[in-house]
């Protein structure tokens, strides 16, 4: 350290000390070398001795290596053979894997060829799609796959050509038979109308009734002759009345539509079909020059048009997108303009009053038929009833939208009122009278929901709107009253009824909403008499007048209630089916769990809570719903036992099933809905009970001895049902008792089952022969 200091002679002192240190180290090294010198000499001596031994060892190693090489030649040869075998084995495995990859492709292609040969073209297209998207990409490197890929577009074009050829034949066929189709449709509409007219005239005087019946007999015989002529090509002895759609095979249209849709050319097919049908429509709408001379000319003309639009209506409802409502409306409007022009021109030549009357009847039947298929016929009625019906149709459409909006905005809960002012507001809109509700303190609730007063007010608004049109016709008060009642009846029976029916069928309407709808329709029905008073006050025509028409609100709301009640039953049954679907029985269990299944207890709890909601419904409705639910549950459980997919049932499963049925019977006996007499509700499960008792007690001797007698203990057990269940137990017994043949009890039981099965089969065969 002092070297770098500025002291005098610091460097020289450092060098002197360094030399001294080096000399010390040299002396130490010399001492060490002297100490180890003898060891080094000894080691060199040893190495000289080892060199001779090393030469001998080298010779021995060389000789050993030569002998090992000679001995290993055979091992090397065997090893190379093993390597070749392993390579071959790997190649074989690779080939097998590739063949397994190719075989599905070849099988699908074979399936495609088979489908083409049997003319299953839609299935063939699906197979092509699977080939292209799933199978061929896996083996696209092979040449045969390339050939397949090149052939698929050709096959598609072939399918398109064949399907288009079938479609052209179909279009030609329906063009020729449009009059026959239309005649059938019009005949059915006319028969319905004739039947309704006959019912209305049943209270006529005897002479007039006899004359009417006599004429009906003549018409009836004529209809029989016409029907025979219509269906003689189908079957000369056919007694079943076919619909208009039954006369036409629409399968070419379906096939062609499916094929073009799969190929992505659906729009091309739709345009072609619509273009061809427009051409045919123009041909159908062209009248014969002598059409006005006979009724048959008009009938043939109307039949062709009806047949054309019946076909289009069927295509509209059974296909998606081929024919749209906009397209049919456009086509119908074009046809309607032509029809009205033709009728106005040709009817002007009619001088025979009978012919004019028959023409009117034909127009009515023609209009009724097409109206039944959903085509608007307002302009046709204009020829007979001026423009009044068109106005009413416009009103009905508008109010249909208003009704739908009201129903959509309703919360389907009773109307709450907090004070007298709110109470009077509701009363001012709807004529509601209930002394019990008047006595209650505020806040309180009306039984109906918000839509009831709104509907009532809208009906009154409709009457005002209809009155505005009627006032300008210079009609008498009686005629105005009659027109108002008729238009109001149309509103109630068609528009409001349709809205109610559509509302009831909507999926978001639950059981609580359906209960409220039934209550609403009850109050609307009661309000119909106030609507009649309202019309009478407007027109100053007393309801006691002989010609005063009545409102059909009673039947309208009864139908709506019946539909709502039916929907309640349907939804209950659907909910029961959902619970049944989650049932998971172990049909081969050796013994029961000792308690009812969880799904069934959940179902019973659901039914209990549901029937508590029905307390506001009429008693018969709640009772019918309860009985329907129990019967459906019983039938579903029976179907579960007799399911064809269920092959084996053990006695333990029967015992478990019996526990579930006992819970159903306990539920039925608990009177979930009051009003049932005795054990009426429990009778819904009587078939299951007798069947399970028979298998639980194993009382086959009693069953076979008493079968067919009114006093039989198992009167409700059908032999075929018992046979089906017993055969399943027989199969289960065989499977579970492998060594049954070595045990006497099992052998006896198996023989007993086989004996009973034979006797039941003889009973079933005897019943079938008797039938």
């Amino acid at each position: 350290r002092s070297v770098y200091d500025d002291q005098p002679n610091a460097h020289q002192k450092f060098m002197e000390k360094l030399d001294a240190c080096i000399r010390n180290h040299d002396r130490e090294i010399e001492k060490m070398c002297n100490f180890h010198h003898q060891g080094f000499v000894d080691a060199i001596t040893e190495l000289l001795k080892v060199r001779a031994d090393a030469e001998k060892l080298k010779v021995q190693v060389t000789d050993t290596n030569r002998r090992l090489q000679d001995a290993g030649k055979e091992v090397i040869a065997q090893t190379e053979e093993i390597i070749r075998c392993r390579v071959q084995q790997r190649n074989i495995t690779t080939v097998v894997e590739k063949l397994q990859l190719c075989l599905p492709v070849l099988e699908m292609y074979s399936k495609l060829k088979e489908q083409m040969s049997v003319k299953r073209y839609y299935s063939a297209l699906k197979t092509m799609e699977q080939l292209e998207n799933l199978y061929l990409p896996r083996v696209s490197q092979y040449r045969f796959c390339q050939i397949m890929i090149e052939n698929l577009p050709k096959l598609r074009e072939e399918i398109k050509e064949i399907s288009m050829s079938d479609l052209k034949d179909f279009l030609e066929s329906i063009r020729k038979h449009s009059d026959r189709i239309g005649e059938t449709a019009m005949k059915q509409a006319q028969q319905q109308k004739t039947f309704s007219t006959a019912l209305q005239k049943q209270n006529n005087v005897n002479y007039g009734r006899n004359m009417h019946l006599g004429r009906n007999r003549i018409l009836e015989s004529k209809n029989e002759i016409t029907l025979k002529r219509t269906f003689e090509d189908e079957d000369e002895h056919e007694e079943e009345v076919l619909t208009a759609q039954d006369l036409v095979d629409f399968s070419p249209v379906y096939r062609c539509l499916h094929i073009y849709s799969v190929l992505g050319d659906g729009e091309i097919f739709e345009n072609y079909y619509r273009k061809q049908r427009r051409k045919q429509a123009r041909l159908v709408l062209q009248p014969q020059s002598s059409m006005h001379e006979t009724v048959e000319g008009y009938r043939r003309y109307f039949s062709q048009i009806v047949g054309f639009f019946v076909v289009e209506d069927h295509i509209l409802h059974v296909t998606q997108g081929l024919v749209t409502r906009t397209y049919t409306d456009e086509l119908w409007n074009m046809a309607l303009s032509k029809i009205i022009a033709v009728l106005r021109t040709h009817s002007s030549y009619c001088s025979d009053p009978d012919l004019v009357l028959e023409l009117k009847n034909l127009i009515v039947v023609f209009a009724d038929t097409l109206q039944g298929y959903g085509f608007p016929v307002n302009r046709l009625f204009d020829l007979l009833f001026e423009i009044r019906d068109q106005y009413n149709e416009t009103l009905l459409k508008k109010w249909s939208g208003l009704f739908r909006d009201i129903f959509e905005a309703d919360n389907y809960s009773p109307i709450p009122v907090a004070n007298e002012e709110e109470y009077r507001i509701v009363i001012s809109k709807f004529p509601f009278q209930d002394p019990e509700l008047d006595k209650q303190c505020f806040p309180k609730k009306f039984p109906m929901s918000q839509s009831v007063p709104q509907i009532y007010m809208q009906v009154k608004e409709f009457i005002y709107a209809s009155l505005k049109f009627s006032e300008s016709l210079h009609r008498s008060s009686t005629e105005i009253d009659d027109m108002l009642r008729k238009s109001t009846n149309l509103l109630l029976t068609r528009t409001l009824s349709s809205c109610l029916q559509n509302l009831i069928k909507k999926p978001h309407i639950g059981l609580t909403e359906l209960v409220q709808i039934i209550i609403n329709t009850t109050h609307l029905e009661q309000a119909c008499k106030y609507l009649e008073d309202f019309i009478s006050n407007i027109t100053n025509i007393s309801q006691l007048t002989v010609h005063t028409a009545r409102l059909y609100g009673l039947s309208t709301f009864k139908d709506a209630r019946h539909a709502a009640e039916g929907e309640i039953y349907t939804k209950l049954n659907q909910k029961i089916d959902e619970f049944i679907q989650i049932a998971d029985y172990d049909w081969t269990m050796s013994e029961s769990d000792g308690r009812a299944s969880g799904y069934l207890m959940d179902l019973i709890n659901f039914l209990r809570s549901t029937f508590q909601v029905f307390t506001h419904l009429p008693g018969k409705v709640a009772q019918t719903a309860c009985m329907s639910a129990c019967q459906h549950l019983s039938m579903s459980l029976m179907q579960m036992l007799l399911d064809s997919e269920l092959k084996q049932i053990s006695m333990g499963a029967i015992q478990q099933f019996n526990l579930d049925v006992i819970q159903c019977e306990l539920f039925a006996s608990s009177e979930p809905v009051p009003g049932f007499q005795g054990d009426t509700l429990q009778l819904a499960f009587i078939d299951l009970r007798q069947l399970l008792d028979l298998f639980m007690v194993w009382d086959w001797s009693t069953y076979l001895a008493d079968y067919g007698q009114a006093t039989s203990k198992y009167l409700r057990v059908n032999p075929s049902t018992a046979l089906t269940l017993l055969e399943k137990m027989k199969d289960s017994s065989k499977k579970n008792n492998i060594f049954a043949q070595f045990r006497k009890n099992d052998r006896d039981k198996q023989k007993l089952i086989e004996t009973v099965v034979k006797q039941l089969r003889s009973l079933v065969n005897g019943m079938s022969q008797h039938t």
Side-chain angles (χ1 to χ4, degrees):
R1 293 174 184 172
S2 61
V3 173
Y4 299 99
D5 296 338
D6 295 332
Q7 297 179 4
N9 300 323
H11 180 71
Q12 182 178 359
K13 292 179 180 180
F14 173 77
M15 293 303 296
E16 291 174 355
K17 291 179 180 181
L18 183 61
D19 289 337
C21 183
I22 290 171
R23 285 192 297 272
N24 290 333
H25 281 292
D26 288 339
R27 283 193 297 271
E28 290 178 0
I29 291 171
E30 184 178 357
K31 290 178 182 180
M32 186 177 294
C33 288
N34 291 331
F35 178 79
H36 292 286
H37 178 264
Q38 186 59 41
F40 175 75
V41 173
D42 294 337
I44 293 298
T45 304
E46 289 293 331
L47 284 175
L48 291 175
K49 293 178 181 179
V50 169
R51 181 169 62 182
D53 295 333
E55 290 295 333
K56 294 179 182 179
L57 180 61
K58 179 179 179 181
V59 173
Q60 292 176 358
V61 168
T62 302
D63 182 68
T64 302
N65 177 62
R66 179 181 55 77
R67 286 187 283 108
L68 284 174
Q69 292 294 332
D70 294 337
K73 289 181 179 180
E74 185 177 355
V75 175
I76 292 173
Q78 294 294 331
T79 304
E80 290 176 353
E81 184 66 25
I82 290 174
I83 291 172
R84 285 196 300 272
C85 291
R86 293 288 174 85
V87 171
Q88 290 178 355
Q89 186 178 9
R90 186 173 64 249
N91 292 340
I92 291 172
T93 303
T94 304
V95 170
V96 170
E97 292 176 354
K98 298 301 181 182
L99 287 176
Q100 288 177 346
L101 198 61
C102 293
L103 280 176
V105 178
L106 297 174
E107 289 174 356
M108 290 296 292
Y109 196 80
S110 176
K111 179 181 177 182
L112 171 62
K113 287 295 186 179
E114 182 180 357
Q115 290 170 342
M116 291 290 293
S117 64
V118 297
K119 299 182 178 180
R120 294 174 56 194
Y121 300 118
Y122 182 71
S123 301
L125 289 174
K126 289 295 184 182
T127 304
M128 289 185 197
E129 184 178 356
Q130 291 181 353
L131 274 171
E132 288 182 329
N133 298 332
L134 185 61
Y135 293 95
L136 287 177
R138 300 175 181 174
V139 291
S140 58
Q141 67 272 22
Y142 300 113
R143 187 172 60 184
F144 76 92
C145 293
Q146 297 299 324
I147 297 174
M148 290 181 183
I149 293 173
E150 293 173 1
N151 286 337
L152 292 182
K154 298 177 182 178
L155 292 176
R156 283 196 176 92
E157 290 299 323
E158 180 181 351
I159 291 174
K160 287 176 63 176
E161 293 174 2
I162 294 173
S163 61
M164 184 57 70
S165 176
D166 293 342
L167 177 66
K168 292 178 180 178
D169 294 339
F170 166 80
L171 293 175
E172 181 65 18
S173 174
I174 59 173
R175 187 185 68 82
K176 293 180 180 179
H177 298 92
S178 290
D179 55 343
R180 183 183 174 198
I181 300 169
E183 183 180 358
T184 303
M186 292 177 65
K187 190 183 300 298
Q188 293 171 353
Q190 189 174 15
Q191 289 173 349
Q192 293 176 357
K193 184 176 181 181
T194 303
F195 179 75
S196 301
T197 304
L199 291 178
Q200 295 175 359
K201 295 182 179 180
Q202 284 182 351
N203 295 326
N204 288 350
V205 294
N206 292 336
Y207 176 77
R209 181 172 58 197
N210 292 337
M211 293 294 292
H212 179 72
L213 293 175
R215 188 177 69 173
N216 276 351
R217 292 191 187 98
I218 297 174
L219 292 174
E220 199 173 349
S221 62
K222 290 183 178 179
N223 287 339
E224 290 176 358
I225 296 172
T226 307
L227 283 173
K228 289 180 180 179
R229 183 174 66 252
T230 302
F231 300 114
E232 62 183 0
D233 294 338
E234 304 294 332
D235 188 353
E236 293 181 356
H237 305 287
E238 182 70 33
E239 296 180 359
E240 182 183 2
V241 179
L242 301 176
T243 62
Q245 289 82 2
D246 294 331
L247 301 176
V248 182
D249 180 17
F250 290 91
S251 57
V253 180
Y254 306 153
R255 287 197 299 268
C256 203
L257 175 60
H258 289 321
I259 289 170
Y260 274 75
S261 299
V262 171
L263 296 176
D265 295 332
E267 185 176 356
I268 297 175
F269 173 75
E270 293 171 8
N271 294 334
Y272 176 82
Y273 177 85
R274 296 178 186 180
K275 181 179 179 181
Q276 294 300 318
R277 290 297 281 167
R278 283 194 180 95
K279 291 181 180 178
Q280 291 186 352
R282 295 188 182 95
L283 293 176
V284 167
L285 294 171
Q286 292 297 329
Q288 298 293 329
S289 57
S290 60
M291 185 181 71
H292 62 279
E293 296 177 359
T294 61
V295 178
E296 289 299 324
Y298 284 108
R299 181 176 287 110
R300 190 177 302 108
Y301 180 68
F302 286 135
S303 297
Q304 291 177 352
I305 297 173
V306 170
F308 178 89
F309 283 99
V310 165
V311 171
E312 289 306 289
D313 181 76
H314 184 76
I315 294 295
L316 170 66
H317 287 89
V318 300
T319 60
Q320 296 180 352
L322 177 58
V323 174
T324 62
R325 175 57 67 182
T326 303
Y327 164 79
T328 54
D329 289 345
E330 177 185 354
L331 201 60
W332 170 243
N333 291 331
M334 181 271 292
L336 195 57
S337 300
K338 181 66 176 178
I339 292 168
I340 291 175
V342 169
L343 291 177
R344 284 175 177 168
T345 302
H346 286 265
S347 62
S348 62
Y349 297 106
C350 296
S351 57
D352 185 1
D354 294 335
L355 181 60
V356 175
L357 181 60
E358 291 179 354
L359 175 60
K360 187 266 295 184
N361 293 333
L362 281 175
I363 293 175
V364 172
V365 174
F366 174 74
D368 290 342
T369 303
L370 289 174
Q371 191 176 31
Y373 284 94
F375 295 98
V377 292
N378 301 333
R379 293 173 61 188
L380 286 173
F381 284 119
D382 291 345
L383 296 174
L384 304 174
F385 306 107
E386 302 299 333
I387 201 172
R388 177 175 57 86
D389 288 340
Q390 181 180 356
Y391 176 77
N392 285 335
E393 289 293 331
T394 306
L395 290 181
L396 291 175
K397 291 180 180 179
K398 177 182 177 181
W399 257 256
S400 176
L402 293 174
F403 289 153
R404 286 197 300 268
D405 294 339
I406 291 173
F407 289 138
E408 288 293 332
D410 194 9
N411 59 3
Y412 299 102
S413 299
I415 303 175
V417 287
N419 49 49
E420 184 70 20
E421 182 181 358
E422 294 180 0
Y423 181 83
R424 293 189 178 278
I425 290 174
V426 177
I427 294 297
S428 65
K429 294 180 180 179
F430 184 76
F432 179 82
Q433 296 179 358
D434 187 359
E436 296 296 328
L437 184 63
D438 293 339
K439 296 177 182 178
Q440 296 179 11
C441 299
F442 292 98
K444 52 188 176 182
K445 294 181 179 180
F446 287 90
M448 66 278 189
S449 66
Q450 191 64 43
S451 62
V452 173
Q454 293 177 353
I455 291 293
Y456 182 80
M457 294 298 296
Q458 286 300 329
V459 173
K460 293 175 67 174
E461 292 295 329
F462 176 85
I463 294 173
Y464 277 125
S466 182
L467 178 63
K468 292 178 182 178
F469 182 84
S470 301
E471 287 174 345
S472 62
L473 296 179
H474 305 288
R475 302 287 184 177
S476 64
S477 297
T478 304
E479 291 175 324
I480 292 175
D481 183 272
D482 187 61
M483 286 188 290
L484 286 178
R485 292 177 185 274
K486 288 181 179 179
S487 59
T488 306
N489 280 329
L490 284 175
L491 178 70
L492 295 176
T493 60
R494 190 173 70 182
T495 305
L496 183 55
S497 176
S498 176
C499 291
L500 284 171
Q501 296 291 341
N502 293 334
L503 173 68
I504 291 168
K505 296 295 182 182
K506 288 187 176 180
H508 69 274
I509 298 297
L511 293 173
T512 305
E513 289 80 4
L514 290 172
V515 172
Q516 187 62 54
I517 289 172
I518 292 176
I519 297 173
N520 290 350
T521 54
T522 302
H523 291 285
L524 287 173
E525 178 182 345
Q526 295 172 356
C528 284
K529 61 181 181 179
Y530 297 100
L531 290 176
E532 290 184 344
D533 295 336
F534 177 73
I535 295 175
S536 298
N537 293 334
I538 292 176
T539 59
N540 293 323
I541 299 297
S542 174
Q543 295 187 35
L544 301 177
T545 304
V546 177
H547 301 290
T548 300
R550 297 294 179 182
L551 296 183
Y552 299 148
L554 298 178
S555 61
T556 299
F557 297 117
K558 283 181 181 178
D559 293 342
R561 277 200 304 277
H562 292 161
E565 292 166 7
E567 194 67 14
I568 287 176
Y569 309 151
T570 300
K571 287 186 179 297
L572 270 176
N573 293 343
Q574 290 176 351
K575 197 66 179 178
I576 291 173
D577 291 339
E578 292 177 6
F579 279 96
I580 293 295
Q581 288 176 0
I582 64 175
D584 188 17
Y585 284 101
D586 182 8
W587 297 108
T588 59
M589 63 171 56
S590 57
E591 58 182 7
S592 67
D593 295 336
R595 61 181 184 276
S597 301
Y599 86 93
L600 189 71
M601 298 307 300
D602 294 341
L603 171 58
I604 291 176
N605 292 333
F606 164 77
L607 292 177
R608 289 187 189 278
S609 61
T610 300
F611 290 136
Q612 290 177 359
V613 181
F614 291 177
T615 54
H616 300 293
L617 287 177
K620 291 184 178 180
V621 177
Q623 292 171 12
T624 304
C626 186
M627 177 59 74
S628 173
C630 289
Q631 290 175 345
H632 186 75
L633 175 58
S634 176
M635 182 180 63
S636 300
L637 292 174
M638 181 68 78
Q639 290 176 350
M640 189 185 300
L641 275 180
L642 303 179
D643 189 3
S644 59
E645 295 183 1
L646 178 59
K647 303 300 183 182
Q648 298 175 356
I649 301 179
S650 66
M651 194 61 197
I654 293 291
Q655 294 171 352
Q656 180 64 39
F657 202 86
N658 182 61
L659 292 176
D660 294 345
V661 175
I662 289 175
Q663 290 299 321
C664 296
E665 293 171 328
L666 291 175
F667 167 76
S669 63
S670 66
E671 198 175 4
V673 173
F676 285 105
Q677 296 181 357
D679 57 350
T680 303
L681 195 59
Q682 290 176 274
L683 292 177
F685 302 95
I686 188 65
D687 292 355
L688 269 174
R689 172 45 52 212
Q690 291 189 5
L691 179 64
L692 290 174
D693 285 346
L694 176 61
F695 278 83
M696 292 291 293
V697 181
W698 209 252
D699 193 8
W700 292 105
S701 58
T702 303
Y703 174 76
L704 295 172
D706 296 343
Y707 174 75
Q709 300 180 11
T711 59
S712 175
K713 180 180 178 181
Y714 306 101
L715 182 63
R716 305 298 293 270
V717 179
N718 189 286
S720 60
T721 302
L723 176 61
T724 301
L725 191 55
L726 189 59
E727 286 180 337
K728 294 179 180 182
M729 292 190 66
K730 174 184 174 183
D731 294 338
S732 176
S733 178
K734 287 182 177 180
K735 180 178 180 181
N736 295 332
N737 297 290
I738 301 175
F739 303 100
Q741 57 181 339
F742 301 108
R743 295 194 296 267
K744 185 177 185 302
N745 292 336
D746 294 333
R747 290 200 309 270
D748 294 340
K749 183 178 180 181
Q750 191 67 27
K751 290 180 180 179
L752 175 60
I753 293 176
E754 292 175 357
T755 302
V756 175
V757 166
K758 291 179 181 178
Q759 294 178 351
L760 288 175
R761 283 176 181 168
S762 64
L763 280 178
V764 173
N765 294 333
M767 291 173 59
S768 62
Q769 292 175 1
H770 178 70
T771 303

